[in-house]
Amino acid sequence: MNKPANVSALLKLHRNIVSGIAREAADGRILDCVCPSDGLSFAAIPRSGKADVDAAVAAAREAFETGPWGRMNAIERGRLLVKLGEAILRNHEELAQFEAQDCGKPLKQARADMTAAARYFEFYGTAADKVHGETIPFLNGYTIAIVRDPHGVTGHIVPWNYPAQIFGRSVAASLACGNTSVVKPAEDACLSLIRITELALEVGFPPGVLNIVTGLGAEAGAALAGHPGIDFISFTGSPETGTLIQQAAARNHIGCTLELGGKSPQVIFADADLEAALPVLINAIIQNGGQTCSAGSRILIEKSAYEVLVPALAARFAKIAVGTHADDRDMGAMINRKQQQRVAMFTARAREEGVPVLAEAALPADLPSGGFYAAPMLFGPVPRANSLAMDEVFGPVLSVIPFEDEADAVALANGTPYGLVAGIWTRDARRSMRMARAMRCGQVFVNGYGAGGGIELPFGGVKKSGHGREKGFEALYEFSASKTIVINHG
């Protein structure tokens, strides 16, 4: 049972960081931090509003235009980013504990997230001085140079599923290009980001370069997305909110990257190494409780292999161990009650519609009664038009759908509004290339799925999964703009 609302005053208050100073919300409002594992409040954060966002954007603008950051060369910026990555590793366990308790994810996942977050700062720190320009042959007597400039002040709206990783992949790339940043984390999970921002100051980041403002999406998030002082915005979240972000960006005539989820298929042909595939298929849906935009939530299996794969998949699925973040089992809790209820709605509707349940992992009897848990469930064969086959559940729910042949597999894989990631499993090299080229998505994995944090690999979607690319070197082009310089020297 949750603590009474009046206990907020007894909780540790983690503050915004604006211009290098820890601050409460201008009007003093706060929000409780609730642990998904037990549903109890354990800390508090500012419930920031427009005035707080205004102050953060002003601080970032000053740091960009008149502070030392705007005059700092790429080599020096890169060194600071690398130092921040090293600081994350030095404080690895503290940050992982924050992330696990805040998100309800197993500690091993939170630890992996912190390692990835540190790697983002290392990668972009060492890439900061390698964003090169070019020259264009032109008329005699002219030299044409193309250089890349920072946008200025970038806004980052970070979701609750992978706060540290997504903070790293967007903020590190932005800072490497010479921008300054204002970050609005999800109110459900932001403590690790506040601590990382503190570490940035400790390793020498000038005040105002990196600012963090917590609060509700409809208040602080909307104020940041629509702020006229923002020059570019990065958002990861739902397609519905992504539409609002894009509309806000359009009103200010600025660019944005949007990563908006997926319904990613894993296409398995009869000649695939099924034993090698099985653990990967399981992990791709239960990692972070299925609350992953790139979760492999659809298994598309060639009909001739259906009766071989499904029993083995069901047997493993039924053994998935669920526990609190501290238990460090296969899977933790959903982020909040709303998400728990969303997963329950999808599974209940599928049962009512007669979709067969192939396996369901049992929830332990000793789980905290106030926690937000959902039992991992495997359904199949799932009708192609069913919501389990078309809609993003964002939970530990896996659909199995048989297909006839290669052409049918392509049509089925591309037959949702999303296009983020796909997996192809086959021993036929020619088929793997044909299938990879045919997938309408931003990433394709062949005989595997995911690649650690994938820091070096450009990531993003098409269709309802959004646009723009983060991760890898390509992100540096998102967070900078080209400028053409024409020199007439006779």
Side-chain angles (χ1 to χ4, degrees):
M1 183 176 179
N2 289 345
K3 295 180 181 179
N6 62 3
V7 303
S8 293
L10 304 177
L11 301 174
K12 178 182 178 181
L13 177 63
H14 297 259
R15 294 172 173 82
N16 295 331
I17 299 177
V18 176
S19 196
I21 301 170
R23 305 184 184 184
E24 298 181 16
D27 59 10
R29 294 184 301 168
I30 63 173
L31 296 168
D32 282 7
C33 299
V34 177
C35 177
S37 293
D38 54 22
L40 298 178
S41 300
F42 68 96
I45 56 173
R47 181 176 172 177
S48 305
K50 183 179 181 301
D52 304 292
V53 172
D54 287 345
V57 173
R61 177 63 59 190
E62 181 179 1
F64 178 74
E65 294 186 350
T66 64
W69 190 256
R71 300 187 299 275
M72 192 177 293
N73 63 47
I75 296 172
E76 293 171 315
R77 287 200 308 270
R79 286 171 177 160
L80 281 176
L81 288 167
V82 170
K83 285 182 180 179
L84 180 52
E86 293 169 346
I88 291 171
L89 292 178
R90 285 196 302 272
N91 294 272
H92 190 274
E93 186 61 22
E94 175 196 17
L95 290 166
Q97 293 286 344
F98 273 139
E99 194 91 336
Q101 187 174 21
D102 225 2
C103 299
K105 63 178 64 179
L107 262 171
K108 58 190 170 188
Q109 175 67 66
R111 289 174 178 137
D113 289 354
M114 290 309 150
T115 300
R119 174 69 179 128
Y120 278 114
F121 285 98
E122 178 186 60
F123 178 85
Y124 288 112
T126 55
D129 62 343
K130 299 172 183 65
V131 184
H132 300 155
E134 58 181 315
T135 59
I136 296 177
F138 194 54
L139 303 174
N140 289 339
Y142 285 84
T143 295
I144 312 300
I146 309 298
V147 299
R148 299 203 69 86
D149 287 341
H151 292 300
V153 178
T154 59
H156 305 257
I157 298 179
V158 178
W160 43 256
N161 55 344
Y162 293 93
Q165 281 212 50
I166 295 174
F167 176 92
R169 83 184 190 199
S170 65
V171 170
S174 176
L175 297 180
C177 290
N179 302 289
T180 56
S181 297
V182 178
V183 180
K184 206 299 284 186
E187 60 271 18
D188 291 291
C190 58
L191 299 188
S192 65
L193 307 193
I194 295 173
R195 181 65 183 128
I196 292 172
T197 305
E198 292 173 347
L199 292 174
L201 293 168
E202 291 176 14
V203 300
F205 276 71
V209 171
L210 177 55
N211 308 274
I212 188 162
V213 179
T214 64
L216 300 176
E219 296 172 356
L224 180 60
H227 201 288
I230 293 292
D231 300 305
F232 189 86
I233 194 155
S234 168
F235 171 78
T236 301
S238 71
E240 295 75 20
T241 305
T243 298
L244 299 176
I245 298 293
Q246 191 160 225
Q247 289 171 343
R251 282 192 289 271
N252 289 320
H253 303 284
I254 64 171
C256 60
T257 59
L258 302 175
E259 197 267 277
L260 306 177
K263 192 67 180 174
S264 299
Q266 300 228 43
V267 185
I268 306 174
F269 288 91
D271 69 337
D273 184 341
L274 300 184
E275 279 302 311
L278 278 169
V280 179
L281 301 180
I282 295 289
N283 186 63
I285 189 61
I286 66 165
Q287 180 176 295
N288 205 38
Q291 300 168 123
T292 303
C293 296
S294 56
S297 57
R298 291 185 296 153
I299 302 292
L300 313 184
I301 175 74
E302 193 168 10
K303 273 190 174 179
S304 59
Y306 186 90
E307 297 302 330
V308 177
L309 177 70
V310 165
L313 187 62
R316 289 184 180 231
F317 214 84
K319 295 178 182 177
I320 295 169
V322 179
T324 69
H325 63 280
D327 291 334
D328 206 16
R329 294 174 183 160
D330 299 326
M331 198 185 92
M334 301 296 97
I335 188 68
N336 54 32
R337 186 73 66 196
K338 180 181 178 182
Q339 190 62 25
Q340 180 193 41
Q341 292 172 346
R342 174 182 170 84
V343 174
M345 179 271 291
F346 271 98
T347 57
R349 185 166 64 193
R351 287 179 186 272
E352 291 169 3
E353 293 169 347
V355 181
V357 177
L358 298 173
E360 179 176 0
L363 296 179
D366 62 350
L367 289 176
S369 60
F372 311 133
Y373 297 95
M377 296 188 70
L378 177 68
F379 287 86
V382 175
R384 298 184 178 202
N386 190 271
S387 62
L388 287 187
M390 299 296 291
D391 300 328
E392 186 177 38
V393 178
F394 223 57
V397 180
L398 183 58
S399 300
V400 182
I401 308 169
F403 66 83
E404 297 286 346
D405 53 25
E406 191 173 315
D408 189 36
V410 171
L412 188 54
N414 292 336
T416 77
Y418 296 95
L420 192 59
V421 181
I424 309 296
W425 295 83
T426 178
R427 288 186 171 96
D428 186 328
R430 292 187 299 175
R431 173 191 280 155
S432 69
M433 182 55 70
R434 288 195 303 269
M435 289 294 297
R437 294 299 299 268
M439 295 295 97
R440 292 195 64 203
C441 60
Q443 277 189 344
V444 181
F445 292 94
V446 177
N447 295 325
Y449 198 82
I455 285 83
E456 299 86 353
L457 312 179
F459 179 72
V462 301
K463 301 190 288 184
K464 203 174 178 179
S465 289
H467 56 75
R469 293 295 178 265
E470 295 181 300
K471 300 189 180 185
F473 207 83
E474 199 165 333
L476 296 168
Y477 297 121
E478 294 282 349
F479 284 104
S480 61
S482 67
K483 177 190 289 180
T484 303
I485 300 174
V486 181
I487 304 170
N488 180 353
H489 47 73

